[in-house]
Amino acid sequence: MIKKHGSAEWSGGLQDGTGTVSTQSGVLNAVQYGFNKRFGDEPGTNPEELIGAAHAACFSMALSNILGESDIVPDKIETTSTIHLDMSDGPKVVKAHLDVKIKAPGDKDKVMEAAKKAEQGCPISQLLDCEITMDAEIE
């Protein structure tokens, strides 16, 4: 079993407090996050942004793997995952939308079929308890 971890530290109240997030690899090392970074315009990271990045990376790798099973090696997969946080009944992630541009040789129908499998099948899609949608463009 593969195990990876991230960590967070928080000090203070919800709106006036501050925190940092770090990753096992050190790529993120005490990166600041806070209420205004999450719910306002203040620059910095937040949980939804980090989930979006993880989802986009996971999807791209899953798609590459599924394409490889059909002997298709993509030239490029560009993915953005937009995480939708609904505030109407308390904060809840309700949707993750993938925007994907795929440059790959071969049959476009096979590439789109692989993208649809990756949309629901990547480990982060499976982890998220929300609607997953996708718009894919194949070059």
Side-chain angles (χ1 to χ4, degrees):
M1 177 175 291
I2 297 170
K3 295 181 181 182
K4 303 289 182 183
H5 71 265
S7 60
E9 191 174 298
W10 186 263
S11 299
L14 175 62
Q15 292 189 17
D16 64 348
T18 59
T20 59
V21 294
S22 300
T23 57
Q24 178 178 344
S25 67
V27 170
L28 297 179
N29 185 17
V31 174
Q32 292 190 350
Y33 76 107
F35 186 87
N36 289 329
K37 291 171 179 45
R38 187 174 192 185
F39 299 110
D41 297 357
E42 191 174 307
T45 195
N46 58 71
E48 291 74 31
E49 176 182 79
L50 296 170
I51 291 167
H55 190 211
C58 184
F59 169 87
S60 297
M61 293 177 76
L63 176 55
S64 179
N65 181 55
I66 294 166
L67 288 171
E69 292 169 357
S70 296
D71 295 322
I72 298 171
V73 177
D75 295 320
K76 186 188 283 189
I77 300 168
E78 295 178 42
T79 308
T80 300
S81 174
T82 303
I83 303 300
H84 299 248
L85 185 67
D86 184 3
M87 299 299 292
S88 62
D89 194 24
K92 179 175 173 56
V93 172
V94 295
K95 181 177 179 181
H97 179 75
L98 295 159
D99 284 299
V100 188
K101 291 181 183 176
I102 307 160
K103 185 175 182 183
D107 186 306
K108 288 187 177 193
D109 288 337
K110 277 188 177 181
V111 173
M112 184 58 79
E113 182 181 316
K116 288 179 181 175
K117 280 178 80 174
E119 173 188 1
Q120 298 301 319
C122 89
I124 300 299
S125 287
Q126 292 177 43
L127 174 70
L128 295 173
D129 182 22
C130 66
E131 176 185 12
I132 310 286
T133 60
M134 178 182 68
D135 288 323
E137 177 185 320
I138 302 168
E139 297 179 10

mmCIF file of all heavy atoms in Angstrom, residues 70-106:
data_model
loop_
_atom_site.group_PDB
_atom_site.id
_atom_site.type_symbol
_atom_site.label_atom_id
_atom_site.label_comp_id
_atom_site.label_asym_id
_atom_site.label_seq_id
_atom_site.Cartn_x
_atom_site.Cartn_y
_atom_site.Cartn_z
ATOM 1 N N SER A 70 -4.569 1.196 -24.931
ATOM 2 C CA SER A 70 -4.932 1.111 -26.351
ATOM 3 C C SER A 70 -3.758 1.497 -27.241
ATOM 4 O O SER A 70 -3.942 1.858 -28.405
ATOM 5 C CB SER A 70 -6.123 2.036 -26.647
ATOM 6 O OG SER A 70 -7.266 1.627 -25.949
ATOM 7 N N ASP A 71 -2.556 1.466 -26.680
ATOM 8 C CA ASP A 71 -1.328 1.824 -27.402
ATOM 9 C C ASP A 71 -1.357 3.254 -27.948
ATOM 10 O O ASP A 71 -0.806 3.536 -29.008
ATOM 11 C CB ASP A 71 -1.035 0.823 -28.525
ATOM 12 C CG ASP A 71 -0.726 -0.563 -27.996
ATOM 13 O OD1 ASP A 71 -0.055 -0.655 -26.946
ATOM 14 O OD2 ASP A 71 -1.169 -1.552 -28.618
ATOM 15 N N ILE A 72 -2.013 4.145 -27.227
ATOM 16 C CA ILE A 72 -2.024 5.564 -27.575
ATOM 17 C C ILE A 72 -1.210 6.305 -26.522
ATOM 18 O O ILE A 72 -1.495 6.226 -25.333
ATOM 19 C CB ILE A 72 -3.463 6.126 -27.621
ATOM 20 C CG1 ILE A 72 -4.292 5.414 -28.695
ATOM 21 C CG2 ILE A 72 -3.439 7.637 -27.869
ATOM 22 C CD1 ILE A 72 -5.782 5.769 -28.656
ATOM 23 N N VAL A 73 -0.173 7.007 -26.975
ATOM 24 C CA VAL A 73 0.647 7.809 -26.068
ATOM 25 C C VAL A 73 0.307 9.274 -26.342
ATOM 26 O O VAL A 73 0.587 9.787 -27.434
ATOM 27 C CB VAL A 73 2.152 7.551 -26.287
ATOM 28 C CG1 VAL A 73 2.984 8.449 -25.383
ATOM 29 C CG2 VAL A 73 2.484 6.082 -26.047
ATOM 30 N N PRO A 74 -0.310 9.944 -25.372
ATOM 31 C CA PRO A 74 -0.700 11.334 -25.617
ATOM 32 C C PRO A 74 0.513 12.251 -25.710
ATOM 33 O O PRO A 74 1.503 12.067 -24.999
ATOM 34 C CB PRO A 74 -1.556 11.677 -24.398
ATOM 35 C CG PRO A 74 -1.082 10.759 -23.329
ATOM 36 C CD PRO A 74 -0.644 9.497 -24.021
ATOM 37 N N ASP A 75 0.416 13.242 -26.595
ATOM 38 C CA ASP A 75 1.450 14.266 -26.680
ATOM 39 C C ASP A 75 1.313 15.233 -25.509
ATOM 40 O O ASP A 75 2.311 15.669 -24.939
ATOM 41 C CB ASP A 75 1.338 15.053 -27.989
ATOM 42 C CG ASP A 75 1.603 14.179 -29.205
ATOM 43 O OD1 ASP A 75 2.516 13.326 -29.147
ATOM 44 O OD2 ASP A 75 0.888 14.334 -30.210
ATOM 45 N N LYS A 76 0.058 15.545 -25.158
ATOM 46 C CA LYS A 76 -0.177 16.482 -24.050
ATOM 47 C C LYS A 76 -1.604 16.324 -23.536
ATOM 48 O O LYS A 76 -2.535 16.149 -24.321
ATOM 49 C CB LYS A 76 0.020 17.918 -24.521
ATOM 50 C CG LYS A 76 -0.061 18.946 -23.399
ATOM 51 C CD LYS A 76 -0.064 20.374 -23.901
ATOM 52 C CE LYS A 76 1.296 20.845 -24.307
ATOM 53 N NZ LYS A 76 1.345 22.288 -24.587
ATOM 54 N N ILE A 77 -1.742 16.382 -22.227
ATOM 55 C CA ILE A 77 -3.049 16.432 -21.571
ATOM 56 C C ILE A 77 -3.010 17.643 -20.652
ATOM 57 O O ILE A 77 -2.180 17.712 -19.749
ATOM 58 C CB ILE A 77 -3.330 15.149 -20.743
ATOM 59 C CG1 ILE A 77 -3.310 13.907 -21.634
ATOM 60 C CG2 ILE A 77 -4.663 15.277 -19.999
ATOM 61 C CD1 ILE A 77 -3.300 12.594 -20.857
ATOM 62 N N GLU A 78 -3.880 18.610 -20.900
ATOM 63 C CA GLU A 78 -3.983 19.800 -20.055
ATOM 64 C C GLU A 78 -5.324 19.737 -19.327
ATOM 65 O O GLU A 78 -6.368 19.707 -19.972
ATOM 66 C CB GLU A 78 -3.929 21.072 -20.881
ATOM 67 C CG GLU A 78 -2.616 21.294 -21.592
ATOM 68 C CD GLU A 78 -2.634 22.556 -22.430
ATOM 69 O OE1 GLU A 78 -3.163 23.596 -21.978
ATOM 70 O OE2 GLU A 78 -2.134 22.495 -23.557
ATOM 71 N N THR A 79 -5.299 19.710 -18.008
ATOM 72 C CA THR A 79 -6.518 19.543 -17.223
ATOM 73 C C THR A 79 -6.629 20.609 -16.148
ATOM 74 O O THR A 79 -5.661 20.898 -15.447
ATOM 75 C CB THR A 79 -6.531 18.153 -16.540
ATOM 76 O OG1 THR A 79 -6.289 17.142 -17.513
ATOM 77 C CG2 THR A 79 -7.865 17.895 -15.854
ATOM 78 N N THR A 80 -7.820 21.160 -16.031
ATOM 79 C CA THR A 80 -8.175 22.048 -14.927
ATOM 80 C C THR A 80 -9.376 21.425 -14.227
ATOM 81 O O THR A 80 -10.343 21.036 -14.889
ATOM 82 C CB THR A 80 -8.555 23.455 -15.433
ATOM 83 O OG1 THR A 80 -7.440 24.010 -16.128
ATOM 84 C CG2 THR A 80 -8.956 24.368 -14.287
ATOM 85 N N SER A 81 -9.321 21.308 -12.920
ATOM 86 C CA SER A 81 -10.463 20.852 -12.135
ATOM 87 C C SER A 81 -10.952 22.012 -11.281
ATOM 88 O O SER A 81 -10.215 22.514 -10.439
ATOM 89 C CB SER A 81 -10.091 19.668 -11.238
ATOM 90 O OG SER A 81 -11.177 19.335 -10.395
ATOM 91 N N THR A 82 -12.187 22.427 -11.530
ATOM 92 C CA THR A 82 -12.791 23.516 -10.771
ATOM 93 C C THR A 82 -13.685 22.914 -9.700
ATOM 94 O O THR A 82 -14.631 22.188 -9.999
ATOM 95 C CB THR A 82 -13.609 24.438 -11.695
ATOM 96 O OG1 THR A 82 -12.743 24.928 -12.729
ATOM 97 C CG2 THR A 82 -14.207 25.600 -10.919
ATOM 98 N N ILE A 83 -13.358 23.212 -8.466
ATOM 99 C CA ILE A 83 -14.102 22.690 -7.322
ATOM 100 C C ILE A 83 -15.162 23.722 -6.924
ATOM 101 O O ILE A 83 -14.835 24.882 -6.701
ATOM 102 C CB ILE A 83 -13.154 22.398 -6.138
ATOM 103 C CG1 ILE A 83 -12.044 21.423 -6.551
ATOM 104 C CG2 ILE A 83 -13.930 21.885 -4.930
ATOM 105 C CD1 ILE A 83 -12.511 20.073 -7.034
ATOM 106 N N HIS A 84 -16.409 23.280 -6.853
ATOM 107 C CA HIS A 84 -17.541 24.155 -6.537
ATOM 108 C C HIS A 84 -17.922 23.973 -5.070
ATOM 109 O O HIS A 84 -18.350 22.897 -4.667
ATOM 110 C CB HIS A 84 -18.747 23.814 -7.424
ATOM 111 C CG HIS A 84 -18.472 23.997 -8.878
ATOM 112 N ND1 HIS A 84 -19.072 24.984 -9.617
ATOM 113 C CD2 HIS A 84 -17.664 23.328 -9.740
ATOM 114 C CE1 HIS A 84 -18.642 24.915 -10.862
ATOM 115 N NE2 HIS A 84 -17.788 23.923 -10.959
ATOM 116 N N LEU A 85 -17.773 25.044 -4.296
ATOM 117 C CA LEU A 85 -18.096 25.039 -2.873
ATOM 118 C C LEU A 85 -19.417 25.787 -2.684
ATOM 119 O O LEU A 85 -19.490 26.992 -2.904
ATOM 120 C CB LEU A 85 -16.976 25.710 -2.076
ATOM 121 C CG LEU A 85 -17.101 25.688 -0.564
ATOM 122 C CD1 LEU A 85 -16.967 24.255 -0.030
ATOM 123 C CD2 LEU A 85 -16.033 26.583 0.067
ATOM 124 N N ASP A 86 -20.452 25.069 -2.304
ATOM 125 C CA ASP A 86 -21.772 25.659 -2.087
ATOM 126 C C ASP A 86 -21.869 26.143 -0.646
ATOM 127 O O ASP A 86 -21.588 25.389 0.290
ATOM 128 C CB ASP A 86 -22.845 24.605 -2.377
ATOM 129 C CG ASP A 86 -24.263 25.154 -2.278
ATOM 130 O OD1 ASP A 86 -24.446 26.365 -2.038
ATOM 131 O OD2 ASP A 86 -25.203 24.356 -2.455
ATOM 132 N N MET A 87 -22.266 27.385 -0.466
ATOM 133 C CA MET A 87 -22.340 27.975 0.868
ATOM 134 C C MET A 87 -23.776 28.085 1.380
ATOM 135 O O MET A 87 -24.007 28.575 2.473
ATOM 136 C CB MET A 87 -21.702 29.370 0.838
ATOM 137 C CG MET A 87 -20.238 29.368 0.451
ATOM 138 S SD MET A 87 -19.215 28.434 1.590
ATOM 139 C CE MET A 87 -19.327 29.462 3.038
ATOM 140 N N SER A 88 -24.776 27.637 0.599
ATOM 141 C CA SER A 88 -26.175 27.865 0.952
ATOM 142 C C SER A 88 -26.614 27.142 2.223
ATOM 143 O O SER A 88 -27.457 27.642 2.951
ATOM 144 C CB SER A 88 -27.087 27.485 -0.213
ATOM 145 O OG SER A 88 -26.964 26.110 -0.522
ATOM 146 N N ASP A 89 -26.069 25.986 2.504
ATOM 147 C CA ASP A 89 -26.454 25.226 3.696
ATOM 148 C C ASP A 89 -25.199 24.818 4.464
ATOM 149 O O ASP A 89 -25.037 23.672 4.860
ATOM 150 C CB ASP A 89 -27.271 23.999 3.283
ATOM 151 C CG ASP A 89 -27.990 23.349 4.461
ATOM 152 O OD1 ASP A 89 -28.238 24.049 5.458
ATOM 153 O OD2 ASP A 89 -28.279 22.137 4.379
ATOM 154 N N GLY A 90 -24.294 25.763 4.625
ATOM 155 C CA GLY A 90 -22.994 25.456 5.210
ATOM 156 C C GLY A 90 -22.071 25.002 4.103
ATOM 157 O O GLY A 90 -22.518 24.477 3.090
ATOM 158 N N PRO A 91 -20.777 25.225 4.235
ATOM 159 C CA PRO A 91 -19.867 24.899 3.135
ATOM 160 C C PRO A 91 -19.865 23.407 2.806
ATOM 161 O O PRO A 91 -19.739 22.568 3.690
ATOM 162 C CB PRO A 91 -18.496 25.362 3.628
ATOM 163 C CG PRO A 91 -18.637 25.623 5.083
ATOM 164 C CD PRO A 91 -20.081 25.760 5.387
ATOM 165 N N LYS A 92 -20.056 23.113 1.510
ATOM 166 C CA LYS A 92 -20.024 21.726 1.042
ATOM 167 C C LYS A 92 -19.557 21.710 -0.409
ATOM 168 O O LYS A 92 -20.067 22.461 -1.241
ATOM 169 C CB LYS A 92 -21.412 21.089 1.139
ATOM 170 C CG LYS A 92 -21.453 19.641 0.636
ATOM 171 C CD LYS A 92 -22.825 19.014 0.857
ATOM 172 C CE LYS A 92 -22.981 17.663 0.228
ATOM 173 N NZ LYS A 92 -22.066 16.650 0.555
ATOM 174 N N VAL A 93 -18.595 20.852 -0.707
ATOM 175 C CA VAL A 93 -18.166 20.668 -2.091
ATOM 176 C C VAL A 93 -19.272 19.880 -2.792
ATOM 177 O O VAL A 93 -19.625 18.775 -2.378
ATOM 178 C CB VAL A 93 -16.817 19.916 -2.173
ATOM 179 C CG1 VAL A 93 -16.485 19.563 -3.617
ATOM 180 C CG2 VAL A 93 -15.702 20.754 -1.558
ATOM 181 N N VAL A 94 -19.840 20.483 -3.846
ATOM 182 C CA VAL A 94 -20.970 19.864 -4.537
ATOM 183 C C VAL A 94 -20.639 19.411 -5.957
ATOM 184 O O VAL A 94 -21.377 18.632 -6.550
ATOM 185 C CB VAL A 94 -22.198 20.806 -4.575
ATOM 186 C CG1 VAL A 94 -22.731 21.048 -3.162
ATOM 187 C CG2 VAL A 94 -21.875 22.114 -5.266
ATOM 188 N N LYS A 95 -19.520 19.910 -6.504
ATOM 189 C CA LYS A 95 -19.204 19.578 -7.892
ATOM 190 C C LYS A 95 -17.719 19.778 -8.152
ATOM 191 O O LYS A 95 -17.095 20.681 -7.605
ATOM 192 C CB LYS A 95 -20.022 20.468 -8.833
ATOM 193 C CG LYS A 95 -19.815 20.219 -10.305
ATOM 194 C CD LYS A 95 -20.737 21.125 -11.119
ATOM 195 C CE LYS A 95 -20.551 20.922 -12.596
ATOM 196 N NZ LYS A 95 -21.427 21.806 -13.388
ATOM 197 N N ALA A 96 -17.191 18.909 -9.010
ATOM 198 C CA ALA A 96 -15.844 19.080 -9.553
ATOM 199 C C ALA A 96 -15.971 18.994 -11.067
ATOM 200 O O ALA A 96 -16.473 18.000 -11.592
ATOM 201 C CB ALA A 96 -14.901 18.005 -9.031
ATOM 202 N N HIS A 97 -15.588 20.058 -11.755
ATOM 203 C CA HIS A 97 -15.711 20.088 -13.213
ATOM 204 C C HIS A 97 -14.323 20.068 -13.844
ATOM 205 O O HIS A 97 -13.473 20.912 -13.544
ATOM 206 C CB HIS A 97 -16.474 21.321 -13.678
ATOM 207 C CG HIS A 97 -16.594 21.381 -15.163
ATOM 208 N ND1 HIS A 97 -17.472 20.576 -15.858
ATOM 209 C CD2 HIS A 97 -15.928 22.100 -16.080
ATOM 210 C CE1 HIS A 97 -17.345 20.813 -17.149
ATOM 211 N NE2 HIS A 97 -16.404 21.733 -17.308
ATOM 212 N N LEU A 98 -14.116 19.097 -14.720
ATOM 213 C CA LEU A 98 -12.851 18.943 -15.435
ATOM 214 C C LEU A 98 -12.951 19.600 -16.814
ATOM 215 O O LEU A 98 -13.874 19.312 -17.577
ATOM 216 C CB LEU A 98 -12.529 17.455 -15.620
ATOM 217 C CG LEU A 98 -12.279 16.666 -14.335
ATOM 218 C CD1 LEU A 98 -12.474 15.175 -14.580
ATOM 219 C CD2 LEU A 98 -10.886 16.960 -13.810
ATOM 220 N N ASP A 99 -12.020 20.494 -17.106
ATOM 221 C CA ASP A 99 -11.838 21.033 -18.461
ATOM 222 C C ASP A 99 -10.543 20.444 -18.976
ATOM 223 O O ASP A 99 -9.486 20.630 -18.360
ATOM 224 C CB ASP A 99 -11.755 22.563 -18.436
ATOM 225 C CG ASP A 99 -13.111 23.199 -18.234
ATOM 226 O OD1 ASP A 99 -14.001 22.994 -19.087
ATOM 227 O OD2 ASP A 99 -13.280 23.906 -17.216
ATOM 228 N N VAL A 100 -10.634 19.724 -20.099
ATOM 229 C CA VAL A 100 -9.491 18.946 -20.576
ATOM 230 C C VAL A 100 -9.222 19.233 -22.048
ATOM 231 O O VAL A 100 -10.149 19.259 -22.868
ATOM 232 C CB VAL A 100 -9.763 17.424 -20.412
ATOM 233 C CG1 VAL A 100 -8.513 16.630 -20.726
ATOM 234 C CG2 VAL A 100 -10.280 17.103 -19.036
ATOM 235 N N LYS A 101 -7.960 19.443 -22.358
ATOM 236 C CA LYS A 101 -7.497 19.521 -23.748
ATOM 237 C C LYS A 101 -6.530 18.374 -23.936
ATOM 238 O O LYS A 101 -5.551 18.248 -23.189
ATOM 239 C CB LYS A 101 -6.811 20.846 -24.036
ATOM 240 C CG LYS A 101 -7.750 22.023 -24.034
ATOM 241 C CD LYS A 101 -7.008 23.308 -24.359
ATOM 242 C CE LYS A 101 -7.958 24.483 -24.278
ATOM 243 N NZ LYS A 101 -7.271 25.752 -24.494
ATOM 244 N N ILE A 102 -6.810 17.534 -24.936
ATOM 245 C CA ILE A 102 -6.005 16.335 -25.164
ATOM 246 C C ILE A 102 -5.421 16.396 -26.567
ATOM 247 O O ILE A 102 -6.158 16.536 -27.547
ATOM 248 C CB ILE A 102 -6.865 15.058 -25.030
ATOM 249 C CG1 ILE A 102 -7.613 15.056 -23.700
ATOM 250 C CG2 ILE A 102 -6.003 13.813 -25.203
ATOM 251 C CD1 ILE A 102 -8.818 14.132 -23.676
ATOM 252 N N LYS A 103 -4.120 16.291 -26.636
ATOM 253 C CA LYS A 103 -3.449 16.164 -27.931
ATOM 254 C C LYS A 103 -2.890 14.747 -27.982
ATOM 255 O O LYS A 103 -1.984 14.402 -27.213
ATOM 256 C CB LYS A 103 -2.337 17.191 -28.089
ATOM 257 C CG LYS A 103 -1.701 17.167 -29.455
ATOM 258 C CD LYS A 103 -0.689 18.277 -29.631
ATOM 259 C CE LYS A 103 -0.132 18.209 -31.040
ATOM 260 N NZ LYS A 103 0.904 19.214 -31.255
ATOM 261 N N ALA A 104 -3.498 13.930 -28.846
ATOM 262 C CA ALA A 104 -3.102 12.519 -28.924
ATOM 263 C C ALA A 104 -3.324 12.006 -30.337
ATOM 264 O O ALA A 104 -4.280 12.409 -31.001
ATOM 265 C CB ALA A 104 -3.911 11.685 -27.936
ATOM 266 N N PRO A 105 -2.453 11.109 -30.775
ATOM 267 C CA PRO A 105 -2.646 10.521 -32.097
ATOM 268 C C PRO A 105 -3.761 9.472 -32.051
ATOM 269 O O PRO A 105 -4.182 9.034 -30.986
ATOM 270 C CB PRO A 105 -1.286 9.857 -32.373
ATOM 271 C CG PRO A 105 -0.774 9.499 -31.014
ATOM 272 C CD PRO A 105 -1.269 10.591 -30.108
ATOM 273 N N GLY A 106 -4.209 9.090 -33.220
ATOM 274 C CA GLY A 106 -5.154 7.977 -33.287
ATOM 275 C C GLY A 106 -6.603 8.408 -33.319
ATOM 276 O O GLY A 106 -6.941 9.568 -33.527
#
